[in-house]
């Protein structure tokens, strides 16, 4: 019997990839893709998805969306290093609460929440971070703060008429990426991309195809695996700047060689943030402290919990994820 699956954030990078992949590869589900934006509706429908546009903070819409659904994969979020807290609160907390309540009301069996490892970030080097490790006393930005709260709301509902789970994928890359590599390329073409610090920092990246695999693992997992959060990565930490150099080289670009001290870059990020808060509060500055920090901090995650309890294994490595993005990017220009 075919069941309905809701994928939120389908006009975005991850949500769109998830919706199209499951429509093509999970015949046991009818995929209902949703977003406030409609610009990818035809693309998603051509890929075999149904599409319904609406606002996840609207209880009536969420009720309509989750009617007769067996599973919800909640990818939608406001993801940015800068902005007014209320906007993040609405998009990340209120929308999640509203969707979760509708899911519970309509008998949705499984609710898969895409969370973030940004909740681990505190400008210090951290290696092999586990889900059970202490979190920073203060979240690095409004995005991390509201995503953590939303994750807590989701996991607290597990076993109360619905099964809930959270995935924390680190730095998603791949075809259709609208965040990481596009930001790098924008900075590069504007002459602003410089190596921060010594250029030797190690980090985890996650190919979108691996996040899709992790979600599929959640759909197959026993109920005992639910009620928990799981780190997801490609499983092979990389030298961040070497991976970036590889991406730029594959795009026919000369990688940057100039280095800037960490302290100088952080000061510049702080200065630009303060100017933006004072004069342009609704516009993200060209540089933020968090944006600088991820370019020099060592941060790797332990994925053994996902491997053991979800049977998750990466199906694509980081350089294959970069190659996937490069091939797609060349079709866009």
């Amino acid at each position: 019997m075919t069941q309905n699956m809701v994928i939120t954030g389908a006009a975005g990078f991850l949500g769109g990839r998830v919706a199209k992949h499951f429509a093509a590869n999970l015949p046991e589900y009818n995929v209902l893709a949703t977003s406030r934006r409609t610009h990818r509706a035809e693309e998603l429908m051509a890929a075999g998805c149904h599409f319904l546009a609406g606002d996840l903070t609207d209880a009536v819409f969420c009720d309509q969306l989750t009617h007769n659904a067996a599973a919800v994969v909640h990818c939608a979020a406001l993801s940015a290093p800068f902005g007014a807290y209320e906007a993040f609160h609405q998009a990340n907390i209120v929308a999640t609460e509203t969707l979760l309540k509708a899911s519970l009301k309509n008998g949705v069996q499984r609710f898969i929440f895409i969370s973030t490892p940004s909740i681990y970030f505190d400008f210090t080097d951290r290696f092999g971070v586990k889900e059970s490790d202490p979190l920073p006393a203060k979240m690095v930005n409004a995005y991390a703060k509201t995503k953590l709260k939303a994750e807590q709301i989701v996991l607290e509902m597990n076993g109360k008429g619905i099964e809930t789970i959270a995935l924390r994928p680190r730095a998603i890359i791949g075809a259709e990426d609208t965040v990481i590599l596009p930001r790098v390329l924008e900075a590069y073409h504007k002459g602003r991309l410089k190596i921060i610090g010594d250029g030797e920092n190690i980090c985890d990246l996650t190919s979108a195809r691996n996040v899709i695999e992790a979600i599929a693992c959640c759909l197959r997992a026993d109920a005992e695996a639910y009620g928990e959060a799981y780190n997801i990565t490609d499983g092979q930490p990389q030298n961040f700047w070497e991976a970036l150099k590889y991406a730029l080289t594959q795009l026919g670009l000369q990688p940057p060689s100039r280095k800037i001290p960490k302290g100088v870059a952080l000061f510049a990020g702080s200065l630009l943030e303060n100017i933006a808060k004072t004069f342009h509060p609704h516009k993200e500055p060209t540089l933020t402290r968090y944006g600088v920090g991820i370019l020099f901090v060592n941060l790797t995650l332990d994925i053994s919990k996902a491997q053991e309890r979800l049977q998750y294994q990466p199906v694509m490595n980081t350089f294959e994820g970069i190659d996937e993005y490069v091939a797609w990017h060349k079709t866009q220009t």
Side-chain angles (χ1 to χ4, degrees):
M1 180 179 177
T2 304
Q3 299 177 302
N4 292 335
M5 176 193 294
V6 174
I7 312 291
T8 71
F13 168 33
L14 180 62
R17 287 286 306 270
V18 171
K20 290 188 292 183
H21 182 89
F22 284 169
N25 294 283
L26 294 184
E28 64 269 33
Y29 287 101
N30 290 316
V31 175
L32 175 55
T34 184
S35 174
R36 288 182 300 174
R37 298 173 292 164
T38 60
H39 69 284
R40 297 186 70 184
E42 291 186 7
E43 173 192 347
L44 290 161
M45 289 189 288
C49 306
H50 302 281
F51 183 82
L52 189 63
D55 189 334
L56 296 178
T57 63
D58 181 343
V60 174
F61 173 71
C62 286
D63 185 62
Q64 176 189 7
L65 185 68
T66 56
H67 186 68
N68 289 330
V72 169
V73 182
H74 185 28
C75 301
L78 175 57
S79 174
F82 181 86
Y85 179 82
E86 182 57 26
F88 289 95
H89 177 81
Q90 288 293 318
N92 297 340
I93 296 177
V94 175
T96 300
E97 284 184 310
T98 306
L99 181 63
L100 186 58
K101 288 178 181 177
S103 298
L104 185 62
K105 173 186 174 183
N106 286 317
V108 171
Q109 298 161 20
R110 294 193 152 178
F111 191 102
I112 300 169
F113 178 70
I114 305 302
S115 187
T116 176
S118 293
I119 61 176
Y120 300 134
F121 191 89
D122 62 358
F123 293 96
T124 65
D125 294 333
R126 305 184 70 184
F127 296 94
V129 179
K130 295 184 177 182
E131 297 88 345
S132 57
D133 287 350
L135 297 177
K138 182 180 179 181
M139 291 291 104
V140 68
N141 52 30
Y143 169 67
K145 184 176 182 179
T146 53
K147 287 291 285 186
L148 176 60
K149 178 61 177 177
E151 179 190 286
Q152 292 168 339
I153 291 168
V154 168
L155 295 182
E156 285 170 1
M157 285 303 299
N158 184 63
K160 299 176 181 178
I162 192 170
E163 294 172 0
T164 64
I165 198 167
L167 301 178
R168 299 172 179 170
R170 166 75 173 154
I172 305 172
I173 58 171
E176 302 178 27
D177 177 9
T178 57
V179 182
I180 294 178
L181 290 177
R183 282 175 178 261
V184 168
L185 289 175
E186 180 183 9
Y188 179 90
H189 289 302
K190 291 183 177 180
R192 296 199 305 262
L193 185 62
K194 308 292 188 298
I195 298 172
I196 310 299
D198 62 10
E200 298 298 325
N201 52 304
I202 305 298
C203 71
D204 276 306
L205 298 169
T206 313
S207 301
R209 180 63 184 83
N210 287 335
V211 185
I212 294 169
E213 184 67 16
I215 295 169
C217 288
C218 292
L219 293 171
R220 296 190 296 264
D222 294 334
E224 289 75 17
Y226 276 68
E228 301 280 346
Y230 296 87
N231 293 335
I232 302 296
T233 74
D234 289 341
Q236 297 176 325
Q238 303 292 335
N239 177 299
F240 175 79
W241 288 99
E242 289 302 318
L244 199 57
K245 288 176 183 178
Y246 175 81
L248 292 171
T249 300
Q250 294 301 105
L251 289 165
L253 303 173
Q254 180 66 38
S257 57
R258 182 183 171 191
K259 296 181 179 180
I260 295 179
K262 292 183 286 188
V264 172
L266 284 171
F267 175 79
S270 295
L271 181 63
L272 291 174
E273 279 190 33
N274 289 332
I275 291 173
K277 288 175 183 177
T278 303
F279 300 104
H280 307 287
H282 301 294
K283 184 179 179 181
E284 183 181 323
T286 56
L287 202 62
T288 65
R289 277 177 51 81
Y290 177 69
V292 168
I294 61 174
L295 297 179
F296 71 79
V297 167
N298 291 285
L299 180 59
T300 67
L301 309 184
D302 184 324
I303 62 170
S304 60
K305 182 179 173 182
Q307 291 173 315
E308 294 165 5
R309 300 191 61 180
L310 298 178
Q311 305 303 307
Y312 165 71
Q313 289 296 335
V315 295
M316 179 179 285
N317 67 45
T318 296
F319 291 97
E320 290 171 333
I322 292 172
D323 288 341
E324 186 188 74
Y325 173 79
V326 169
W328 172 80
H329 178 78
K330 289 178 178 178
T331 69
Q332 306 300 302
T333 55

